[in-house]
Amino acid sequence: MAVRLPRPHRFDVYAASAGLLGGLLLWGIGLGVRPADEPVVLFDGRWPLLAPLAVMAGCELLRRAAPRTGLLIGTAALVADTLTQGSLVTLIMYTDLMYAAVLYGPPASARRIPWITGLLTVAGTIVPFALWRVPEALLIGVAVGVVSFAPASTGLIVRNHREAADAALLRAEQTALLAEMDRVQAVTAERSRMARELHDMVANHLSAIAIHSTAALSLDDAATTRQALGVIRENSVAGLAEMRRLIGILRDDGGDTEPAAAPTLDGLGSLVDGARANGLDVTLDADPGENLPAPVELAAYRIVQESLTNALKHASKGTVRLRLDRHEGALRIRVTSPYGDRDTPRAPGSGAGLVGMRERAALLHGTFEAGAVADPGSAGDKIWAVRATLPLTEGDLA
């Protein structure tokens, strides 16, 4: 099976071509690095220069695709070039191979090559001077450092800068992603909050309007129709007031205008009176205590409001019982209504009310239950019970 060679980068092809042509130019005009009479030159003349030059140019094709392989072969070509009169272009291409091996090679090679070339530079400086005891021997270490250690160190510096830039870019992208996720979550949470507020404020009035308008249309009685229209008008005006309050909150830009205060449990009496005006038989037993946290008061008020709305829309004829009390650091809410078939018009429901009440309790780390249960006051009958427990301590509200 044939070995598939790595495909060279386009820039590497240009570098190899430029090196080969430059070396041929110097070879053509007869410029070498060393004279023929030096002891290290074993193959004098012009023609031996071409083989290391061609091999080094070929290694330039591997500077990115296979940097370590290119450096190893290039080192062998440099040794062969040292035994000839040498070519300056061959040395230059070798320094580029050393630089590319550190910059594009694996992380292990990037760490080891500068250390190895540094040790070779030190050895090339100390050993010749110790053997010959002449200052000129120090130039061997300088030459080794220029050819190997300097390009390896440069490649390591550039690689570290690139990795730092990539890490900074990655952190910036991650920060932007986290910021976008936070923004989406904030928008989603705000939309959910607005949906709950809108549903709780308007659904009660619209449900009453729907039920009484259906009664007015189905009953041919002037007094009943007039009474139904009065209830419809009252709920329409109240619904518009609630809608204006919500719009005022949404349009508030943080200026001098204060948004309308959120409802509190002090308004339970008015809420129950409105439910009675809409036709519900409601009994209220409320002892929530004092100094309740504002989020708990708002959640409790909305849960009671939605429970009365559901009773108006779905409960059969009977008494709706509402109880609030304080027990073991929590506010307990219980609303019960008759459960079963009803002979009065119903208003359509979507289930959003139960979802909203459950979300309000969950936001305060409380509990919420709703469903049909057996009526302890009668045998065999059922009631619809809404039960919620809202913690009052600051730790539970965090």
Side-chain angles (χ1 to χ4, degrees):
M1 183 176 180
V3 178
R4 186 175 182 180
L5 297 177
R7 184 176 181 180
H9 194 272
R10 180 180 298 178
F11 177 82
D12 299 342
V13 175
Y14 295 154
S17 301
L20 182 61
L21 293 177
L24 291 176
L25 178 62
L26 295 182
W27 177 81
I29 61 179
L31 292 180
V33 178
R34 291 172 294 275
D37 56 353
E38 280 195 5
V40 73
V41 177
L42 301 181
F43 306 99
D44 57 353
R46 298 174 57 192
W47 294 102
L49 299 176
L50 294 180
L53 176 65
V55 173
M56 197 69 73
C59 292
E60 280 285 87
L61 297 174
L62 304 176
R63 63 189 302 274
R64 297 193 196 196
R68 290 190 299 181
T69 302
L71 179 61
L72 292 175
I73 300 175
T75 302
L78 180 66
V79 173
D81 182 75
T82 306
L83 301 179
T84 68
Q85 289 184 255
S87 173
L88 180 62
V89 176
T90 302
L91 287 174
I92 293 175
M93 286 193 291
Y94 181 77
T95 59
D96 181 64
L97 290 177
M98 184 68 70
Y99 169 83
V102 177
L103 182 60
Y104 302 116
S109 298
R111 292 191 302 267
R112 293 171 184 170
I113 291 176
W115 283 99
I116 294 174
T117 56
L119 293 176
L120 290 176
T121 301
V122 173
T125 303
I126 296 176
V127 173
F129 182 77
L131 293 176
W132 297 325
R133 299 291 180 173
V134 293
E136 290 79 5
L138 298 175
L139 296 177
I140 297 177
V142 175
V144 174
V146 170
V147 173
S148 60
F149 181 69
S153 302
T154 304
L156 181 61
I157 294 173
V158 175
R159 183 185 183 113
N160 289 337
H161 280 291
R162 288 188 177 182
E163 290 178 350
D166 292 340
L169 179 61
L170 180 60
R171 287 194 298 270
E173 293 176 350
Q174 291 176 344
T175 302
L177 179 60
L178 291 176
E180 178 64 18
M181 292 175 61
D182 290 341
R183 187 192 69 81
V184 172
Q185 290 178 355
V187 171
T188 303
E190 184 63 16
R191 291 179 62 181
S192 299
R193 187 185 70 84
M194 291 171 58
R196 288 193 300 270
E197 290 294 324
L198 183 61
H199 178 274
D200 293 344
M201 287 193 303
V202 179
N204 179 45
H205 302 294
L206 292 183
S207 298
I209 291 172
I211 292 174
H212 285 279
S213 61
T214 302
L217 292 173
S218 59
L219 299 176
D220 188 13
D221 182 75
T224 303
T225 301
R226 184 175 181 84
Q227 182 182 4
L229 290 177
V231 174
I232 290 173
R233 185 186 182 283
E234 291 177 1
N235 281 275
S236 300
V237 172
L240 286 174
E242 294 280 7
M243 184 68 72
R244 291 191 186 99
R245 190 181 75 85
L246 178 61
I247 293 175
I249 294 175
L250 296 177
R251 286 184 174 177
D252 178 53
D253 57 357
D256 297 333
T257 304
E258 292 291 335
T264 63
L265 294 182
D266 293 336
L268 282 182
S270 299
L271 186 64
V272 170
D273 291 340
R276 289 169 179 163
N278 289 329
L280 286 180
D281 180 13
V282 184
T283 62
L284 174 61
D285 181 9
D287 185 18
E290 298 180 352
N291 300 323
L292 295 178
V296 174
E297 283 205 77
L298 177 60
Y301 183 92
R302 294 304 187 195
I303 290 175
V304 171
Q305 183 183 43
E306 181 59 26
S307 299
L308 294 178
T309 300
N310 287 342
L312 178 64
K313 292 192 294 185
H314 306 295
S316 57
K317 187 175 181 180
T319 302
V320 178
R321 292 178 172 83
L322 170 60
R323 178 178 176 80
L324 283 84
D325 63 348
R326 203 164 181 166
H327 179 70
E328 295 182 354
L331 179 65
R332 298 188 304 183
I333 305 169
R334 179 179 173 88
V335 183
T336 60
S337 57
Y339 181 78
D341 296 334
R342 56 181 285 173
D343 54 0
T344 56
R346 290 177 179 267
S350 62
L354 292 177
V355 174
M357 289 189 287
R358 185 172 287 107
E359 288 178 349
R360 289 185 184 277
L363 288 174
L364 299 177
H365 303 287
T367 60
F368 175 83
E369 296 178 359
V373 297
D375 186 0
S378 62
D381 293 338
K382 287 186 176 183
I383 58 173
W384 182 267
V386 174
R387 295 181 294 271
T389 302
L390 306 179
L392 300 178
T393 59
E394 293 184 359
D396 294 334
L397 296 177

